[in-house]
Structure formats: structure tokens, C-alpha cells
Amino acid sequence: MKALLLKNLKSPLIPTVIPKPKATKNRSRIKLSFAGLNRRDYWIQQGQYPRIDLPVVLGSDGLGIDETDGRRVFFNPGLNWGENQASQQPEFQLVGMPDQGTLAEYISVPADKIYEVPDHLTDPEGACLPLAGVTAYRALFIQGRLQPGQKVLITGVGGGVASLAVKLALAKSAQVYINSSSDEKIETVISWGCINGWNYRTDLEWLQNAKEEVGGFDLILDGAGGETVKDYIDVLRPGGRLVAYGATLGPWTQVPAAKVFWKQIHLTGSTMGSDQDFADMVDFVREHQVRPYVDRVFSMDEANQAFDYLINPEAFGKIVIKINAH
Amino acid sequence: MKALLLKNLKSPLIPTVIPKPKATKNRSRIKLSFAGLNRRDYWIQQGQYPRIDLPVVLGSDGLGIDETDGRRVFFNPGLNWGENQASQQPEFQLVGMPDQGTLAEYISVPADKIYEVPDHLTDPEGACLPLAGVTAYRALFIQGRLQPGQKVLITGVGGGVASLAVKLALAKSAQVYINSSSDEKIETVISWGCINGWNYRTDLEWLQNAKEEVGGFDLILDGAGGETVKDYIDVLRPGGRLVAYGATLGPWTQVPAAKVFWKQIHLTGSTMGSDQDFADMVDFVREHQVRPYVDRVFSMDEANQAFDYLINPEAFGKIVIKINAH
């Protein structure tokens, strides 16, 4: 079968014929029609990820036909989370390194990880839901304990997780606020039902403006980290929570500990999700007809352009690859 | 009646005769026999506290006889917390500024704040329990969700809150570990039933040693903050919690956000406690026969020496003033 192979770090993916994986007693084979990309795929390509094992077929997300029963399916890419809901065990790993990923015509995955795709989702929407979906779901609802009516700020709303978190939070009937460096993205996301958004690049007083308008957020969902976290503590209400699912801007500097204890703040980390979180996410998406925001669909031939686009500041939401070589 | 008055910042307390407070329909008058000191009293004297209102009779903790019914009582010094268990409302304040505190022969307090002192406590023990007790109780059990059998590290164990937290955690059947800058304090606190302790001043590899011995802590209780918090994140187990009830060493610097999210860590602030927390703390102390560690008892005449001693590195546990002037 045809697959896109990463043979060397910082090098393009190379279309390669590799053996077709086999179904076994506990694993089903899926004939893939679309793969969803994640930042992780890019970081591995760039060598910025622990324990990289080459060559590898990247891709944690995908949608296709389960050859066992003909259903349209996707799967939970998180393997070996373990039974502890509070955190993953050391053996936790994702489909798409070291195991073969979804940038290929077929994939074999454990049957108990496979879910029928909710009917309301298109193929590209379904293909990019799993990893961003479970990450946003756990961060908002498990670690963040978001309740209907609460005020949540979702930062950097152009990202795949953040844009999906907005949709999930709106479906939960939260009052959703956003920030971004792009007026255009803010406008689009507000049109989904958010109350307001601020451009942190051009509006230098956005934090003060947010505080005056909102009073204080119950929850802030952040994937950037860095020095802004100290400001976020100012705009949390007493007893409020900040959940971090990423740290693209690096360590939190100068966290005002006295405010953290006086305001009884919770700063909580969140990574992906358990098998239970995944199942609950799929149920929630089906019940509330949540749809991921798909920015662009690339062909398999354009996969390297798609990887470049992943870190383009104009990218917005999810990037999908059509597995078009059958 | 005689009271110790703080008339000017950074000045000694002055014995002064002031009007005796009155009991009213909703307030009882307590004839005080002992007062407990807290760091807060020292910080106010030094002018390092928000909204200082002079002159004032300091002291949030005290024990005496309720003149209404002759019972031996202490009281919850937290006023106006409000109904929200997650955090105090802005109107929250403590007895002992702006209201008259316990460094006086009598005090009038709201009747619903008064509790009979558990029989197993001596007068000095009872006098210093309330504020440190509710602070340690909330930090450990409400914000920290400590469960029997879990491993907890209590830092800076010489402090009034920390030493009491050790006793509460042991009573909960947790596995308790400590650190301190004093071998003598470590030895004493281990004798209470802790598993091990490390001297962070003389043992430069204490973090590594702790990690090797313990594996990872479920909970770290910290009142210092500063740059050590980033190291504490290394010795927390995945899903672990750090609860901060103080920040004597200032802001948290360089918090490794990537570890926080990958390990699903919770960093939580805690300040004093709600009325419910206080009532639960008293029940817990009575049921488990917990006793605060009283370092020294000073007379009223020695109160200024007691204030100096509050920040003496040799101080250990709680400092009590005998109200000896009746």
C-alpha cells in the first residue's frame, strides 16, 4: 500500500510502498479515506519530540471504513492510558509513532479503540476530531470542570484544540470569550456564538478591557503558557481555574503566588484523555451535533505543503489530508 | 480592661486600658485566658499587610470562658466568608484588625462563631488552634483532597500551619514526609510518625533523594513559593497536587508548564477556610485527638518578645500569650 514515510528528521515525507497491515483477532483493519494532522506530527518531523523512532508513518487521526463490518469509523489514538483517570501511565503512546499512523491507505488498530463516526459529521470533520476532541474535552470538562452558564476564556483560538474547545464549550451552554492575534479569526469564532473576543496583538489593553467587561472568568483554557499566565491570574475570578494543555511559549514566568493562594486559584495541566474521556467526548459530540472547524483539505501529494501550513499563522482549526490513492 | 495596643507601625505593642466590649443579642463576650499568635500579627505590626487600620488590638486566636454559659471556648476568626465554598467574598476579614483582637482581657464575637474546645486540648493548645487549624485543614483536605495512604510532603515544617498540617495528615493516615532547614525540627516531627524528612539547606541532593525514596508525592503542601516550586513539580507523581497557602519566598519563577500539562498536575491556592471548613476541622481534631505543637508560652508583659520570636528561625509550631492580667 502507499504511505507517506518520514525517513529523516527535518526532511519531507516520501510516498513509499509498504506492506499492508493485517487484521488480527483483536485488531481491525480500516481502509482510510481521510487523515487529520496535529501539531505533534510537525514537531516529530522537526525532531522536537521525545523518543523519536524512524522511519515512521505519522498521523494520529483518521477516518475510513472498518473492513470487518463496513461501518464508517474513526478511533481513539491514545494507547495504554491505563485505569487511572487522573493521569496516563508511562506506557501511554499515540498512534503515529512508534506505530504506523494514518498517512497511509490502511491502518490496523485495536478493535476496542474504534468508534462509529456520528452521522452529522462529514468525512473530513470526522477525520480530524479524535485527538483534538479528546484533548479539548478533558481540558474543559474533566480538568476544567466547566459548567453551563460559566464564563470561559479560550486563548489562541486559531489552534485545532482551541477552536474545537470553543464549539464544545458553546454546546455546554457556557459563556465563551476568546482571544487571538487575528481579527478575522475572532470575527469568525464570535459568529459561532461567543460573547466577545480580543486581539492580544493589537489591543494592548485587552486584559483590562476583558476584566471590565466580564468581571472575572471561571475558567481559562490555554495552550501557550509563557509570561501571559501571570496576567491570566488577574482576570480569573476567585476560585477560578486555568487549564493548560500546551506551552508553545515556554515556562510560566513569575506566577504571582500570593494571588494564587489569596484567590484560591487552580492551575491545572491536561494532556489528551483517557479511554473514558474519549468515549464521553464522542457521545457529547453526537448529542450536541458539534462539528470541528476544518480549515483546508490537502491531497496526499500535497502532504508536505500541509505540514508547512500547520505552523502558518493563517492556519485556523484543523488540517486534513485526503487519502486519495486507492 | 487591659489590652495590648498597636498604635504605630513598626512599634512595640503598648499595654493600654480600653473599654470592655459588650455582649449583645448576637454576640457573646469571652473572658480570655490565652491568645495564639500568627504571622499575620507580625506582618501587620511591620506594615506589610493591606488596609491596616490603627490603632488596633491584634490577635486572631484566643481561648477563654464564654460568659453566657461558662463553657471553655474558642472561635472561628474568619468573618463574612460567604456561602461560596470555593473562595471567600471580598468582605471577608479576620478578627484582630480592623475589629479588636485577642490580645486583651475580653473579646466580643458573634455567637455563631463560637465552639466549645475539645476536651483533649490544653488551654494553650486550644488557644492557637483556630486559624492555623482551619488553614491547614482546608489546604490538605479541601483544596488538596488528601486521602488515607497517600504520600504528602509538607514543606518548612517549623511553621505554625505546617506543623499542624503534619498532625492532621497523620491523623488522616497519610504517609507524611517533611522538609526543614533544621535537623532538630526534622527529628522531632519524624518522632510524631512521619516517614522521613530532608534538610533542604544542608542536603543539596535532597530532591533527588526524596524522588528515589518516595517515587512521587500525591500532594505537596507549601507555604514558601519562590523558585523551589519548579523542583516540586519534578517530585510530584503524575496527577499530583501542590497546594500553596503562602508565598514567603515570593512568586513562582519558571514553572515548567510542559511538565504541568504532561503530568496532569494541579497547582492550587488555599487561604484560611469557610465556616463549614472550620466546623469540620474542629470535628476532625476532636475525633482524632489532634494537638497543635506549642513552642512557647509568653506572658502579656513579654508580648513584644513573643512578636520578635515569631520570626526567629528557631521558632517551631505555635506561640501563645497568657492573658494574665485579670
Side-chain angles (χ1 to χ4, degrees):
Chain A
M1 70 169 180
K2 183 170 151 190
L4 297 175
L5 209 61
L6 179 69
K7 291 184 178 172
N8 298 296
L9 297 180
K10 302 188 183 179
S11 301
L13 309 182
I14 300 170
T16 309
V17 174
I18 64 168
K20 211 169 176 176
K22 289 187 167 52
T24 64
K25 190 179 161 209
N26 299 316
R27 298 176 75 93
S28 298
R29 190 167 66 191
I30 299 169
K31 183 177 180 183
L32 290 162
S33 51
F34 288 89
L37 296 187
N38 292 282
R39 283 270 177 131
R40 175 181 188 267
D41 304 312
Y42 175 82
W43 295 124
I44 293 173
Q45 188 196 34
Q46 295 302 310
Q48 313 236 341
Y49 206 84
R51 296 189 300 274
I52 295 177
D53 198 4
L54 298 182
V56 66
V57 176
L58 294 172
S60 302
D61 287 336
L63 175 146
I65 301 301
D66 185 334
E67 293 188 323
T68 329
D69 55 17
R71 292 183 307 162
R72 186 178 75 139
V73 298
F74 52 35
F75 56 89
N76 174 4
L79 308 174
N80 312 317
W81 176 286
E83 292 306 310
N84 182 0
Q85 295 302 309
S87 60
Q88 71 279 25
Q89 59 188 8
E91 297 79 8
F92 179 74
Q93 63 183 55
L94 284 183
V95 168
M97 213 260 317
D99 292 359
Q100 182 215 305
T102 54
L103 293 172
E105 292 179 87
Y106 294 87
I107 191 168
S108 146
V109 292
D112 61 2
K113 298 286 181 182
I114 295 177
Y115 292 75
E116 188 164 354
V117 178
D119 289 337
H120 71 282
L121 295 175
T122 65
D123 284 0
E125 286 168 350
C128 65
L129 176 68
L131 189 54
V134 73
T135 302
Y137 184 90
R138 178 176 177 85
L140 277 180
F141 300 142
I142 307 300
Q143 304 293 69
R145 292 177 278 129
L146 182 65
Q147 295 299 319
Q150 291 189 333
K151 294 171 179 173
V152 56
L153 173 68
I154 297 172
T155 73
V157 81
V161 173
S163 60
L164 194 49
V166 168
K167 302 258 192 159
L168 294 173
L170 289 169
K172 187 78 170 184
S173 302
Q175 300 183 56
V176 184
Y177 299 83
I178 53 169
N179 75 22
S180 170
S181 59
S182 155
D183 288 342
E184 196 183 336
K185 289 179 190 172
I186 289 171
E187 202 175 312
T188 301
V189 177
I190 286 180
S191 77
W192 299 346
C194 297
I195 294 177
N196 204 354
W198 299 273
N199 188 320
Y200 57 76
R201 188 149 298 162
T202 59
D203 178 1
L204 296 180
E205 294 180 338
W206 81 267
L207 275 160
Q208 191 54 39
N209 294 339
K211 198 168 181 178
E212 277 168 21
E213 177 177 337
V214 180
F217 296 104
D218 296 285
L219 175 63
I220 296 177
L221 197 73
D222 181 62
E227 62 179 17
T228 312
V229 167
K230 71 176 191 310
D231 299 321
Y232 288 150
I233 289 166
D234 273 335
V235 293
L236 280 175
R237 59 171 289 179
R241 292 98 62 199
L242 181 144
V243 173
Y245 64 86
T248 48
L249 296 177
W252 302 341
T253 54
Q254 295 291 321
V255 175
K259 284 183 192 163
V260 171
F261 76 73
W262 182 254
K263 290 177 76 173
Q264 318 247 8
I265 298 291
H266 305 259
L267 307 174
T268 298
S270 192
T271 292
M272 298 180 262
S274 69
D275 291 350
Q276 185 65 54
D277 296 335
F278 193 89
D280 292 345
M281 180 275 289
V282 176
D283 286 347
F284 186 90
V285 163
R286 182 178 282 116
E287 183 186 343
H288 295 278
Q289 306 271 299
V290 177
R291 310 169 79 106
Y293 185 78
V294 176
D295 181 354
R296 286 180 64 178
V297 180
F298 292 82
S299 70
M300 255 181 129
D301 296 340
E302 300 166 322
N304 287 299
Q305 291 155 256
F307 268 61
D308 291 342
Y309 187 66
L310 263 181
I311 56 151
N312 185 322
E314 287 178 20
F316 179 19
K318 296 297 295 181
I319 316 297
V320 175
I321 305 282
K322 184 167 178 14
I323 307 295
N324 52 0
H326 306 310
Chain B
M1 69 169 180
K2 184 170 151 189
L4 297 175
L5 209 60
L6 179 69
K7 292 184 177 169
N8 299 296
L9 297 181
K10 300 186 184 180
S11 303
L13 309 183
I14 299 169
T16 310
V17 174
I18 62 168
K20 210 170 176 175
K22 288 187 168 54
T24 64
K25 189 178 162 213
N26 299 316
R27 298 175 75 94
S28 298
R29 188 166 67 189
I30 299 169
K31 183 176 181 183
L32 290 161
S33 51
F34 289 89
L37 296 187
N38 292 283
R39 284 267 177 131
R40 175 180 188 268
D41 304 312
Y42 174 82
W43 294 124
I44 293 172
Q45 187 197 34
Q46 296 302 311
Q48 311 236 341
Y49 206 86
R51 296 189 300 272
I52 296 177
D53 197 4
L54 298 182
V56 67
V57 176
L58 294 172
S60 302
D61 286 337
L63 174 146
I65 302 301
D66 185 334
E67 293 189 322
T68 330
D69 54 17
R71 291 183 307 161
R72 185 179 75 138
V73 298
F74 53 35
F75 56 88
N76 174 5
L79 308 175
N80 312 317
W81 176 285
E83 291 306 308
N84 183 0
Q85 295 301 310
S87 61
Q88 71 279 25
Q89 58 188 9
E91 297 78 9
F92 179 74
Q93 63 183 54
L94 284 183
V95 168
M97 213 255 323
D99 291 359
Q100 182 214 305
T102 55
L103 292 172
E105 290 178 87
Y106 294 86
I107 190 168
S108 146
V109 291
D112 61 1
K113 298 285 180 182
I114 294 176
Y115 292 76
E116 188 164 353
V117 179
D119 289 338
H120 71 283
L121 295 175
T122 66
D123 283 1
E125 287 168 351
C128 65
L129 177 68
L131 189 54
V134 73
T135 302
Y137 184 91
R138 178 176 178 84
L140 277 180
F141 300 143
I142 307 300
Q143 304 293 68
R145 293 177 278 129
L146 182 64
Q147 296 299 318
Q150 291 189 334
K151 295 171 179 174
V152 56
L153 173 68
I154 297 172
T155 74
V157 81
V161 173
S163 60
L164 194 49
V166 168
K167 302 257 192 160
L168 294 173
L170 289 169
K172 187 78 171 184
S173 302
Q175 300 183 57
V176 184
Y177 299 83
I178 53 168
N179 75 22
S180 170
S181 59
S182 156
D183 287 343
E184 196 183 337
K185 289 179 190 172
I186 290 171
E187 203 175 311
T188 301
V189 176
I190 286 180
S191 78
W192 299 347
C194 296
I195 295 178
N196 203 355
W198 299 273
N199 188 320
Y200 57 78
R201 188 149 298 164
T202 59
D203 179 359
L204 296 180
E205 293 180 339
W206 82 268
L207 275 161
Q208 192 54 39
N209 295 339
K211 198 169 180 177
E212 277 168 21
E213 177 176 337
V214 179
F217 297 103
D218 296 286
L219 175 64
I220 296 178
L221 197 74
D222 181 63
E227 63 178 18
T228 312
V229 167
K230 73 176 189 310
D231 299 322
Y232 288 151
I233 289 166
D234 273 335
V235 293
L236 280 175
R237 60 171 288 179
R241 293 96 62 198
L242 181 145
V243 173
Y245 63 88
T248 48
L249 296 178
W252 302 341
T253 54
Q254 294 292 320
V255 175
K259 284 183 191 163
V260 171
F261 75 74
W262 183 254
K263 291 177 74 173
Q264 319 249 6
I265 298 291
H266 305 258
L267 307 174
T268 299
S270 192
T271 293
M272 300 181 261
S274 68
D275 292 350
Q276 184 65 54
D277 296 336
F278 193 89
D280 292 344
M281 180 274 290
V282 176
D283 286 345
F284 186 90
V285 163
R286 180 178 284 115
E287 182 185 343
H288 295 279
Q289 305 270 299
V290 176
R291 309 168 79 105
Y293 184 78
V294 177
D295 182 355
R296 287 179 62 177
V297 180
F298 292 83
S299 70
M300 254 182 130
D301 296 340
E302 300 166 323
N304 287 301
Q305 292 155 254
F307 268 62
D308 291 342
Y309 187 66
L310 263 182
I311 56 150
N312 185 321
E314 287 177 20
F316 180 17
K318 297 297 297 181
I319 317 297
V320 175
I321 306 282
K322 184 166 178 15
I323 306 297
N324 52 359
H326 307 311

